[in-house]
Amino acid sequence: MSFKFNWGGFPPEFNEEALAMLTQALNKGGNKPPNLVGPIVAKELDLGSNPPQLDILEISELEEDRFRAMFRMKYEGDGYL
């Protein structure tokens, strides 16, 4: 089984949604270090021009229109947050 991912050229809506999800995830839970005095806000995201290397470790659910899997991701690109 193989998958083809088109990397780059992500629409602005994708970046906006990803930033909102990252901000929410970074502020989840109550065990923050005491030196953080406010919420963490993700303000800029660029996924870079080099795609990550994805290895499929396990596929737990496979249907015609969706699947659930566990991946290992290795990224040596030029993206930043």
Side-chain angles (χ1 to χ4, degrees), residues 38-75:
I40 300 168
V41 179
K43 292 189 174 194
E44 192 173 0
L45 173 67
D46 186 330
L47 296 175
S49 58
N50 301 324
Q53 175 185 336
L54 292 174
D55 297 325
I56 300 173
L57 301 176
E58 176 185 318
I59 296 177
S60 59
E61 185 178 329
L62 183 61
E63 297 179 17
E64 185 175 321
D65 59 344
R66 70 185 190 127
F67 77 99
R68 183 183 304 243
M70 185 180 300
F71 293 91
R72 175 181 24 227
M73 183 174 95
K74 180 178 181 180
Y75 186 68

Side-chain angles (χ1 to χ4, degrees), residues 3 6 11 22-24 58 62 67 76 79-80:
F3 299 93
N6 293 324
L22 283 166
T23 297
Q24 182 180 17
E58 176 185 318
L62 183 61
F67 77 99
E76 296 178 345
Y80 59 88

Side-chain angles (χ1 to χ4, degrees), residues 17-28:
E17 185 175 347
L19 283 171
M21 291 172 64
L22 283 166
T23 297
Q24 182 180 17
L26 289 168
N27 290 288
K28 196 173 187 179

